[in-house]
Amino acid sequence: MQIDLTQPIETGMQTYPGDPPVAVHPHATHADDGARVSSLECGSHTGTHVDAPAHTEPDGRTLAAYPLERFVFDAVRVDCRDLEAREPIPASRVPDDADLAAFWTGWDAHWGTDRYLEHPYLSPAAAETCADRGLDVAVDALNPDPTPTEGAGADEPDGVPAHHALLGDDRLILENLTGLEAVGERFELRAYPLALAGDGAPVRAVGVRGGD
């Protein structure tokens, strides 16, 4: 079975604070032009997307540097639904026998709300452990690092240490997945980005359960 794990791209959808807003508007219509065409305005990190190392690392590789097979992952779903808002995911939860760790927080239930910004995040130690074990990372949240809001705690890490630990080690990061409850603990994740030669791009993320 193939399961869509992608947030749809639509006007006004939630983005990382400060990122470009998303707008999808009619450009041509059947009535006036004989065909339907839409215009799309968005940032490279819109919706369900992949971060390339060039996103945070000045010398990091862009998406164009990776072959297509790099975006197909043997994934392990890591259940983190017991964690509260802005609680760090500890290194003890990092698996060691896969291509990618998909951290299942359940925070996609808050998509489109202010609470979505208050998601659990990878502790710096967890991110470093993922890098040490050669794991790419996916989250069903806005960010593997804590997203800055008024609710941030004084003990939270500054900046984006998880991004630096992972992207600095040539790992990939997938953000804003949804529907991880529908895949098994072990699944194949296919997440092909748009053919943008830059720092990141939206993907159509699909989970394939064993035997499909």
Side-chain angles (χ1 to χ4, degrees):
M1 178 182 295
Q2 298 187 40
I3 299 159
D4 195 351
L5 304 176
T6 313
Q7 297 284 5
I9 295 177
E10 54 192 8
T11 298
M13 70 187 293
Q14 194 160 38
T15 62
Y16 186 85
D19 273 11
V22 179
V24 184
H25 295 304
H27 175 76
T29 66
H30 290 290
D32 294 337
D33 307 287
R36 181 178 175 180
V37 176
S38 299
S39 69
L40 171 64
E41 299 176 22
C42 66
S44 55
H45 296 260
T46 290
T48 306
H49 67 274
V50 61
D51 290 353
H55 177 43
T56 60
E57 309 308 302
D59 298 323
R61 295 204 290 173
T62 66
L63 290 176
Y66 297 93
L68 282 176
E69 56 265 26
R70 187 66 176 81
F71 303 101
V72 179
F73 310 89
D74 172 26
V76 170
R77 186 183 66 186
V78 182
D79 194 346
C80 298
R81 291 173 297 160
D82 59 311
L83 299 181
E84 301 294 334
R86 309 196 75 91
E87 186 173 351
I89 298 169
S92 59
R93 303 225 179 163
V94 176
D96 59 5
D97 60 346
D99 298 332
L100 177 143
F103 292 97
W104 179 27
T105 68
W107 227 251
D108 56 329
H110 305 297
W111 173 257
T113 72
D114 290 343
R115 187 165 174 77
Y116 193 65
L117 307 181
E118 310 297 337
H119 54 84
Y121 62 90
L122 282 182
S123 68
E128 291 165 6
T129 300
C130 287
D132 290 343
R133 295 178 180 176
L135 295 171
D136 300 307
V137 164
V139 293
D140 59 350
L142 187 64
N143 194 356
D145 285 296
T147 297
T149 71
E150 292 182 357
D155 58 344
E156 292 182 8
D158 293 328
V160 289
H163 278 80
H164 287 308
L166 294 162
L167 300 180
D169 196 57
D170 206 36
R171 301 292 93 208
L172 298 173
I173 299 172
L174 290 155
E175 299 172 345
N176 295 319
L177 268 66
T178 187
L180 286 174
E181 70 277 358
V183 298
E185 292 184 8
R186 193 92 185 208
F187 65 102
E188 181 179 87
L189 176 60
R190 303 172 184 172
Y192 298 112
L194 295 179
L196 297 175
D199 49 85
V203 303
R204 188 63 177 264
V206 176
V208 183
R209 295 203 308 208
D212 296 315

